[in-house]
């Protein structure tokens, strides 16, 4: 058996995987250079070069959707990381009923996004919604009267905030579960060494737990970030992207451009912009992961030496 034999065995499977992975992306890139109507075969469409990319670059509404996407992704991922990791640190204990608690926590993740959108749409309803019923009740108390509490048009006055709250509710359990798994797999020797040295609970979190968890947390954050850039169903059901363009993120704009305006070339160009942005983010986050992994190895080595 020569050195090339193992590669020859895996070559067919690798070729199929490469074709399945990259052929649709190549098709989309080719379509982004054409004036492509879905009723036509792509080979019959007109080649327009970079026209779709330039048109988007000069379109203020595209950049507005771009900024809404960035704000949405940044706020939801930051809030979900803080709440999810905080809950995992609080519940990292051997207490009775923990398995039931974990199951209850991940329930929102199991619900279809369309149903989540419908449930939150009813909860935000201006007359019958849960939030406004509570605000009405609170406004009748002396403190509520003092603060001037009253009903709010959640989806009209605060559409982006309303969408952000629904997303945080659904996806914080994802961060919680992965953070808890990372916490429970930490080397006990490092934590024992910190206790022997007299580290307080807070110091253990800052100097031992979070640095050792960092590689897992960064990958978790990257997964949520990619997903947040592509969220569609909840926003479509809650606000439909409005009022105006206030909640129209790029994924929704791409879907509209392709389905309603039948501009597949322009939609493909937008998808390429989104893909490039995610690739840049992924590149930087994987670089940061390698740095954190090296740091975690140093902490483990120091704990083993001390032990």
């Amino acid at each position: 058996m020569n050195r090339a034999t193992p590669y020859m065995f895996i070559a067919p499977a690798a070729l199929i995987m490469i074709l399945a992975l990259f052929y649709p992306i190549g098709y989309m890139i080719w379509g982004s250079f054409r004036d492509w109507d879905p009723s036509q075969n792509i080979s019959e469409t007109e080649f327009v070069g970079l026209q779709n990319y330039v048109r988007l670059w000069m379109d203020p509404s595209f950049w507005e959707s771009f900024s809404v996407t960035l704000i949405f992704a940044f706020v939801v991922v930051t809030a979900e990381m803080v709440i999810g990791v905080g809950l995992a640190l609080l519940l990292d204990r051997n207490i009775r009923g923990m398995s039931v608690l974990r199951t209850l926590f991940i329930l929102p993740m199991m619900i279809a996004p369309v149903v989540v959108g419908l449930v939150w749409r009813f909860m935000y309803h201006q007359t019958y919604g849960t939030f406004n019923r509570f605000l009405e009740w609170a406004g009748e108390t002396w403190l509520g009267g003092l603060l001037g509490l009253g009903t709010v048009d959640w989806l009209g006055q605060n559409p982006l905030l309303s969408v952000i709250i629904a997303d945080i509710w659904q996806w914080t359990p994802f961060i919680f579960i992965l953070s808890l798994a990372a916490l429970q797999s930490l080397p006990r020797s490092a934590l024992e060494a910190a206790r022997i040295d007299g580290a307080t609970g807070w110091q253990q979190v800052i100097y031992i737990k979070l640095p050792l968890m960092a590689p897992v947390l960064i990958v978790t954050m990257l997964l949520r970030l990619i997903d947040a850039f592509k969220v569609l169903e909840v926003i479509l059901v809650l606000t439909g992207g409005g009022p105006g363009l206030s909640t129209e993120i790029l994924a929704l704009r791409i879907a509209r451009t392709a389905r309603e305006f039948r501009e597949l070339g322009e939609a493909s160009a937008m998808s390429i912009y989104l893909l490039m942005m995610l690739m840049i983010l992924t590149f930087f986050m994987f670089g940061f992961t390698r740095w954190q992994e090296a740091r975690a190895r140093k902490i483990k080595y120091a704990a083993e030496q001390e032990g």
Side-chain angles (χ1 to χ4, degrees), residues 209-218 285-299:
K209 291 182 179 179
L210 288 180
L212 290 176
M213 292 168 63
V216 175
L217 293 183
I218 292 169
M285 292 188 78
F286 274 136
F288 190 60
T289 304
R290 283 197 293 274
W291 178 73
Q292 281 293 343
E293 283 173 344
R295 192 174 170 217
R297 280 196 296 272
K298 285 181 184 174
I299 292 173

Short mmCIF file of all heavy atoms in Angstrom, two decimals, residues 209-218 285-299:
data_model
loop_
_atom_site.label_atom_id
_atom_site.label_comp_id
_atom_site.label_asym_id
_atom_site.label_seq_id
_atom_site.Cartn_x
_atom_site.Cartn_y
_atom_site.Cartn_z
N LYS A 209 -13.25 29.51 35.40
CA LYS A 209 -14.34 28.92 34.62
C LYS A 209 -14.50 29.56 33.24
O LYS A 209 -14.52 28.86 32.22
CB LYS A 209 -15.65 29.02 35.41
CG LYS A 209 -15.67 28.13 36.65
CD LYS A 209 -17.00 28.22 37.38
CE LYS A 209 -17.01 27.30 38.60
NZ LYS A 209 -18.27 27.40 39.34
N LEU A 210 -14.64 30.89 33.21
CA LEU A 210 -14.88 31.54 31.91
C LEU A 210 -13.72 31.35 30.94
O LEU A 210 -13.95 31.04 29.76
CB LEU A 210 -15.20 33.03 32.11
CG LEU A 210 -16.58 33.33 32.71
CD1 LEU A 210 -16.79 34.83 32.86
CD2 LEU A 210 -17.69 32.72 31.85
N PRO A 211 -12.43 31.50 31.37
CA PRO A 211 -11.34 31.24 30.41
C PRO A 211 -11.33 29.81 29.89
O PRO A 211 -11.08 29.58 28.70
CB PRO A 211 -10.07 31.53 31.23
CG PRO A 211 -10.51 32.46 32.30
CD PRO A 211 -11.91 32.06 32.63
N LEU A 212 -11.63 28.83 30.76
CA LEU A 212 -11.64 27.43 30.29
C LEU A 212 -12.84 27.15 29.39
O LEU A 212 -12.77 26.31 28.50
CB LEU A 212 -11.65 26.48 31.50
CG LEU A 212 -10.36 26.40 32.32
CD1 LEU A 212 -10.54 25.50 33.53
CD2 LEU A 212 -9.21 25.89 31.46
N MET A 213 -13.94 27.85 29.63
CA MET A 213 -15.14 27.65 28.80
C MET A 213 -15.06 28.42 27.49
O MET A 213 -15.88 28.19 26.59
CB MET A 213 -16.39 28.14 29.55
CG MET A 213 -16.79 27.33 30.76
SD MET A 213 -18.03 28.23 31.71
CE MET A 213 -19.40 28.31 30.56
N ALA A 214 -14.13 29.36 27.40
CA ALA A 214 -14.13 30.30 26.28
C ALA A 214 -14.19 29.64 24.90
O ALA A 214 -14.96 30.10 24.04
CB ALA A 214 -12.91 31.22 26.39
N PRO A 215 -13.39 28.59 24.61
CA PRO A 215 -13.49 28.00 23.25
C PRO A 215 -14.91 27.53 22.92
O PRO A 215 -15.40 27.76 21.80
CB PRO A 215 -12.52 26.81 23.33
CG PRO A 215 -11.53 27.21 24.37
CD PRO A 215 -12.32 27.97 25.39
N VAL A 216 -15.59 26.90 23.89
CA VAL A 216 -16.97 26.44 23.64
C VAL A 216 -17.90 27.64 23.48
O VAL A 216 -18.76 27.67 22.58
CB VAL A 216 -17.46 25.54 24.80
CG1 VAL A 216 -18.92 25.17 24.62
CG2 VAL A 216 -16.61 24.30 24.90
N LEU A 217 -17.71 28.65 24.33
CA LEU A 217 -18.59 29.83 24.26
C LEU A 217 -18.44 30.57 22.93
O LEU A 217 -19.42 31.07 22.37
CB LEU A 217 -18.28 30.78 25.42
CG LEU A 217 -18.61 30.26 26.82
CD1 LEU A 217 -18.33 31.33 27.86
CD2 LEU A 217 -20.06 29.81 26.91
N ILE A 218 -17.20 30.62 22.43
CA ILE A 218 -16.99 31.35 21.17
C ILE A 218 -17.67 30.61 20.01
O ILE A 218 -18.31 31.23 19.16
CB ILE A 218 -15.48 31.51 20.90
CG1 ILE A 218 -14.88 32.47 21.93
CG2 ILE A 218 -15.24 32.07 19.51
CD1 ILE A 218 -13.38 32.51 21.94
N MET A 285 -13.46 35.02 14.41
CA MET A 285 -13.84 34.28 15.63
C MET A 285 -13.06 32.99 15.77
O MET A 285 -12.71 32.58 16.88
CB MET A 285 -15.34 34.04 15.65
CG MET A 285 -16.10 35.34 15.81
SD MET A 285 -17.84 35.14 16.07
CE MET A 285 -17.88 34.69 17.78
N PHE A 286 -12.72 32.33 14.67
CA PHE A 286 -11.90 31.12 14.78
C PHE A 286 -10.47 31.48 15.21
O PHE A 286 -9.83 30.74 15.96
CB PHE A 286 -11.88 30.36 13.46
CG PHE A 286 -13.05 29.41 13.31
CD1 PHE A 286 -13.75 29.32 12.12
CD2 PHE A 286 -13.45 28.60 14.37
CE1 PHE A 286 -14.83 28.46 11.99
CE2 PHE A 286 -14.52 27.74 14.25
CZ PHE A 286 -15.21 27.67 13.06
N GLY A 287 -9.98 32.63 14.74
CA GLY A 287 -8.67 33.11 15.21
C GLY A 287 -8.69 33.36 16.70
O GLY A 287 -7.76 32.98 17.44
N PHE A 288 -9.76 33.98 17.19
CA PHE A 288 -9.90 34.25 18.62
C PHE A 288 -10.02 32.94 19.40
O PHE A 288 -9.49 32.80 20.51
CB PHE A 288 -11.13 35.13 18.84
CG PHE A 288 -11.26 35.67 20.23
CD1 PHE A 288 -10.27 36.47 20.77
CD2 PHE A 288 -12.36 35.35 21.01
CE1 PHE A 288 -10.38 36.96 22.06
CE2 PHE A 288 -12.48 35.84 22.30
CZ PHE A 288 -11.49 36.66 22.82
N THR A 289 -10.71 31.94 18.80
CA THR A 289 -10.85 30.63 19.46
C THR A 289 -9.49 29.97 19.68
O THR A 289 -9.22 29.42 20.75
CB THR A 289 -11.73 29.70 18.60
OG1 THR A 289 -12.97 30.33 18.35
CG2 THR A 289 -11.98 28.39 19.29
N ARG A 290 -8.64 30.03 18.64
CA ARG A 290 -7.30 29.42 18.80
C ARG A 290 -6.52 30.08 19.92
O ARG A 290 -5.84 29.42 20.70
CB ARG A 290 -6.53 29.52 17.47
CG ARG A 290 -6.96 28.51 16.44
CD ARG A 290 -5.92 28.37 15.35
NE ARG A 290 -5.83 29.59 14.55
CZ ARG A 290 -6.60 29.84 13.52
NH1 ARG A 290 -7.51 28.99 13.15
NH2 ARG A 290 -6.46 30.96 12.83
N TRP A 291 -6.64 31.42 20.04
CA TRP A 291 -5.95 32.14 21.10
C TRP A 291 -6.49 31.72 22.48
O TRP A 291 -5.72 31.49 23.42
CB TRP A 291 -6.13 33.65 20.89
CG TRP A 291 -5.50 34.48 21.96
CD1 TRP A 291 -4.17 34.70 22.16
CD2 TRP A 291 -6.18 35.18 23.02
NE1 TRP A 291 -3.98 35.50 23.26
CE2 TRP A 291 -5.19 35.81 23.80
CE3 TRP A 291 -7.53 35.35 23.37
CZ2 TRP A 291 -5.50 36.59 24.91
CZ3 TRP A 291 -7.84 36.12 24.47
CH2 TRP A 291 -6.83 36.72 25.23
N GLN A 292 -7.82 31.56 22.57
CA GLN A 292 -8.42 31.17 23.84
C GLN A 292 -8.08 29.74 24.21
O GLN A 292 -7.89 29.40 25.38
CB GLN A 292 -9.95 31.33 23.77
CG GLN A 292 -10.44 32.75 23.94
CD GLN A 292 -10.20 33.28 25.35
OE1 GLN A 292 -9.94 32.55 26.29
NE2 GLN A 292 -10.25 34.60 25.49
N GLU A 293 -7.98 28.86 23.20
CA GLU A 293 -7.61 27.47 23.48
C GLU A 293 -6.20 27.39 24.04
O GLU A 293 -5.93 26.62 24.98
CB GLU A 293 -7.73 26.63 22.20
CG GLU A 293 -9.16 26.28 21.84
CD GLU A 293 -9.28 25.60 20.50
OE1 GLU A 293 -8.30 25.66 19.72
OE2 GLU A 293 -10.34 25.04 20.22
N ALA A 294 -5.29 28.20 23.49
CA ALA A 294 -3.91 28.22 24.01
C ALA A 294 -3.91 28.72 25.46
O ALA A 294 -3.18 28.19 26.31
CB ALA A 294 -3.05 29.12 23.13
N ARG A 295 -4.76 29.72 25.73
CA ARG A 295 -4.83 30.25 27.09
C ARG A 295 -5.40 29.21 28.06
O ARG A 295 -4.91 29.05 29.18
CB ARG A 295 -5.73 31.50 27.07
CG ARG A 295 -5.67 32.32 28.32
CD ARG A 295 -6.44 33.59 28.16
NE ARG A 295 -6.57 34.25 29.45
CZ ARG A 295 -7.64 34.90 29.84
NH1 ARG A 295 -8.68 34.98 29.06
NH2 ARG A 295 -7.67 35.49 31.02
N ALA A 296 -6.43 28.47 27.60
CA ALA A 296 -7.03 27.44 28.44
C ALA A 296 -6.03 26.33 28.75
O ALA A 296 -5.97 25.81 29.87
CB ALA A 296 -8.27 26.86 27.75
N ARG A 297 -5.22 25.96 27.74
CA ARG A 297 -4.20 24.92 27.98
C ARG A 297 -3.20 25.37 29.03
O ARG A 297 -2.76 24.58 29.87
CB ARG A 297 -3.48 24.59 26.66
CG ARG A 297 -4.26 23.66 25.76
CD ARG A 297 -3.37 23.06 24.69
NE ARG A 297 -2.86 24.08 23.78
CZ ARG A 297 -3.50 24.48 22.69
NH1 ARG A 297 -4.67 23.96 22.38
NH2 ARG A 297 -2.98 25.40 21.92
N LYS A 298 -2.83 26.65 29.04
CA LYS A 298 -1.88 27.17 30.04
C LYS A 298 -2.49 27.08 31.45
O LYS A 298 -1.81 26.73 32.41
CB LYS A 298 -1.53 28.63 29.72
CG LYS A 298 -0.58 28.78 28.55
CD LYS A 298 -0.26 30.24 28.31
CE LYS A 298 0.62 30.40 27.08
NZ LYS A 298 0.85 31.81 26.73
N ILE A 299 -3.79 27.42 31.56
CA ILE A 299 -4.45 27.37 32.88
C ILE A 299 -4.50 25.92 33.39
O ILE A 299 -4.20 25.65 34.55
CB ILE A 299 -5.87 27.98 32.79
CG1 ILE A 299 -5.77 29.48 32.52
CG2 ILE A 299 -6.65 27.73 34.08
CD1 ILE A 299 -7.09 30.15 32.25
#
